[in-house]
Amino acid sequence: MDMTRLRRLAAVAAGAVVVLGGGVGAASAGDGVGLSGTDLAPDQIGRSANIEVLANVPHTGPFTGQFGTDIAFQGDRAYVGNYQGFIIYDISDPTEPKTLSQVNCPGSQNDVSVSGDLLYVSTDSSRSDDSCASTSQSATIEESWEGIKIFDVSDPTAPVYVKAVETDCGSHTNTLVPGETSDYIYVSSYSPRSTFPDCQPPHDAISIIEVPKADPASAAVVATPNLFPGDTGLGQTSGCHDITAYPAKKIAAGACMGDGIIMDISDPAAPVVVERVTDTENFAFWHSATFNQKGTKVVFTDELGGGGAATCNEQIGPTRGANAIYQLSADNQLTFGSYYKIPRHQFDSENCVAHNGSVVPVNGRDVMVQSWYQGGVSLWDFTDIENPRELGWFERGPLSPRNVGGTWSAYYYNGYVYSSDIQKGFDVLRLTDKNLKKAADVRLGELNPQSQPVYR
């Protein structure tokens, strides 16, 4: 989400505070089966018959009213970013997730990745310093800080702040590329300005942080590769919004403002762009990328309107603010297949556009769950690349009073769908479609959706 278009963070309380506890709110679907979009009253739940609503954990304490963001998973825990910090949930019983800790460490967006005992958290708002007691401070001040914070989460009830690493233009998102002795963190950021000392245009680079596993406190930026050297304007990248790695195939897909790219990451500290596509007719803001299970297709998303606009309506149409599905050849060349957008029109008061999702591991099919902000969670099939179709959905009616909201990220993990709703908190869903039943047999010890695993 491009929050520069939406609002600035308010001043926040100083100090890093861990708050234990947290309750589970009722998540009954009521009479919402078959209802969606403009059928729904404010806050009413609507869903397809093949999606069951199991639980909702509202934001509490200082997190109330702050935006929930991205999710990472490890074992029986879910790590959920929030503009106020991050939350760790115990999901050993998905019908009753419990809050293990809330870490008060404000900064946009606080997207998260987890690796072993370490949690990597993105800060993409200019702060007075790198502490959790920082306050908002203009990026025109050279001493202002943005970047990656590293926490030790070996005790999920009491995370420990380990290290901060400053990066050019901050860290809007981060992508884990794991190695044997070190983790590599690809930091995506954008929106350079000549008045920002640490974010000068052009900004066609990413920052790569190496984190030695034996000494994470020595983490540092080891490279800032220019992904588009000699660029004369094919898309005017000015940075990348998000990168998804497929470590087993040593490739990554990037959404870089006006372009979709494929990178060879054989050397994780020196990625090389090997393919680049653009779509000036329908795509406004290349936001994110997801591989299918086999790594033979890539779904790129267009976050038209920066996440704050109503684009799921008849006026905008089916090809803008949508997904673009590409075939990926053995030599990493991209060929356009089709667009996919939810077929359920939303109210003009509802921000709705393609956002974060992940594949559902079903052999022989390409199925994905995906967030669409107030368009809800979409379950869809792109096995036939030219004819994608929606299989199911979960959503709420428009917020009252009107506000930016809806689901930021929705991911499939170990038999369930977990969604981070900007305003409503943490949702747990279950797919009851019999044709997807075997997906629940696939178990992972860890999932960072921007570092796709090989599903077995």
Side-chain angles (χ1 to χ4, degrees):
M1 174 175 282
D2 185 356
M3 292 308 299
T4 60
R5 304 182 188 185
L6 302 177
R7 69 175 190 181
R8 295 182 179 274
L9 284 172
V12 294
V17 180
V18 177
V19 183
L20 301 180
V24 177
S28 171
D31 298 325
V33 176
L35 299 180
S36 68
T38 55
D39 298 328
L40 295 170
D43 294 326
Q44 181 185 7
I45 285 178
R47 63 182 178 95
S48 56
N50 60 355
I51 294 183
E52 182 181 4
V53 186
L54 298 183
N56 168 260
V57 186
H59 296 149
T60 60
F63 287 64
T64 302
Q66 299 295 332
F67 285 12
T69 61
D70 209 14
I71 318 173
F73 305 89
Q74 186 181 75
D76 289 332
R77 295 187 293 274
Y79 304 82
V80 184
N82 185 288
Y83 273 58
Q84 191 67 22
F86 63 88
I87 307 168
I88 304 177
Y89 294 101
D90 178 344
I91 55 172
S92 55
D93 179 357
T95 67
E96 194 175 353
K98 294 180 171 58
T99 303
L100 295 174
S101 59
Q102 290 186 162
V103 175
N104 186 13
C105 197
S108 125
Q109 305 186 124
N110 282 335
D111 279 14
V112 291
S113 293
V114 64
S115 177
D117 290 337
L118 300 178
L119 186 73
Y120 304 112
V121 182
S122 289
T123 299
D124 191 35
S125 56
S126 187
R127 312 295 299 178
S128 56
D129 56 52
D130 64 5
S131 75
C132 288
S134 69
T135 57
S136 180
Q137 180 168 288
S138 173
T140 61
I141 300 172
E142 189 166 7
E143 292 75 23
S144 295
W145 184 90
E146 299 176 78
I148 289 284
K149 297 186 177 96
I150 304 172
F151 290 83
D152 183 325
V153 291
S154 54
D155 179 353
T157 68
V160 176
Y161 190 178
V162 175
K163 176 71 181 285
V165 181
E166 187 170 15
T167 56
D168 292 344
C169 298
S171 175
H172 196 70
T173 60
N174 73 80
T175 302
L176 172 70
V177 180
E180 289 187 11
T181 60
S182 293
D183 284 335
Y184 293 86
I185 308 300
Y186 287 9
V187 175
S188 296
S189 56
Y190 59 98
S191 293
R193 293 186 187 178
S194 59
T195 55
F196 294 171
D198 298 323
C199 188
Q200 289 288 296
H203 181 60
D204 285 347
I206 60 172
S207 296
I208 300 177
I209 298 171
E210 181 177 4
V211 186
K213 293 181 179 181
D215 183 18
S218 67
V221 174
V222 294
T224 54
N226 184 349
L227 301 182
F228 308 102
D231 192 350
T232 58
L234 177 67
Q236 293 293 316
T237 55
S238 73
C240 293
H241 182 280
D242 213 334
I243 293 169
T244 295
Y246 198 137
K249 298 193 73 167
K250 300 186 185 305
I251 57 174
C256 300
M257 305 299 100
D259 305 272
I261 63 172
I262 300 295
M263 293 185 287
D264 181 332
I265 59 170
S266 300
D267 180 350
V272 177
V273 175
V274 295
E275 171 67 326
R276 183 179 182 186
V277 293
T278 192
D279 181 349
T280 57
E281 181 176 354
N282 285 302
F283 261 44
F285 186 91
W286 292 67
H287 175 275
S288 54
T290 303
F291 293 97
N292 67 341
Q293 286 191 78
K294 294 182 178 179
T296 58
K297 297 174 186 174
V298 183
V299 176
F300 289 104
T301 66
D302 174 22
E303 195 186 39
L304 174 68
T311 75
C312 298
N313 53 36
E314 185 176 1
Q315 178 183 0
I316 299 298
T319 60
R320 298 171 61 218
N323 297 328
I325 312 162
Y326 285 80
Q327 196 76 43
L328 181 64
S329 68
D331 60 349
N332 294 322
Q333 298 302 292
L334 292 166
T335 302
F336 175 74
S338 66
Y339 297 104
Y340 170 76
K341 189 172 183 179
I342 58 172
R344 298 167 286 107
H345 286 164
Q346 306 295 309
F347 289 104
D348 288 340
S349 65
E350 294 180 283
N351 60 301
C352 175
V353 75
H355 215 235
N356 297 338
S358 72
V359 296
V360 179
V362 183
N363 287 334
R365 294 177 64 185
D366 294 320
V367 178
M368 185 172 173
V369 290
Q370 184 180 6
S371 288
W372 290 77
Y373 291 115
Q374 288 196 69
V377 175
S378 177
L379 172 68
W380 63 287
D381 187 310
F382 60 105
T383 308
D384 181 347
I385 195 170
E386 295 182 354
N387 296 286
R389 59 194 177 94
E390 185 165 71
L391 304 176
W393 71 88
F394 158 75
E395 64 166 298
R396 292 181 172 92
L399 290 169
S400 181
R402 179 174 179 170
N403 203 346
V404 172
T407 173
W408 179 291
S409 297
Y411 300 128
Y412 187 92
Y413 177 69
N414 290 355
Y416 299 87
V417 176
Y418 298 91
S419 167
S420 172
D421 188 287
I422 292 171
Q423 301 287 349
K424 300 296 185 179
F426 187 56
D427 289 315
V428 186
L429 313 173
R430 178 162 50 202
L431 307 181
T432 60
D433 189 324
K434 64 181 181 180
N435 296 314
L436 305 178
K437 184 177 180 180
K438 287 189 176 298
D441 295 336
V442 178
R443 313 301 289 184
L444 299 174
E446 187 172 282
L447 175 64
N448 294 290
Q450 287 74 40
S451 182
Q452 285 191 227
V454 176
Y455 292 97
R456 307 229 184 248

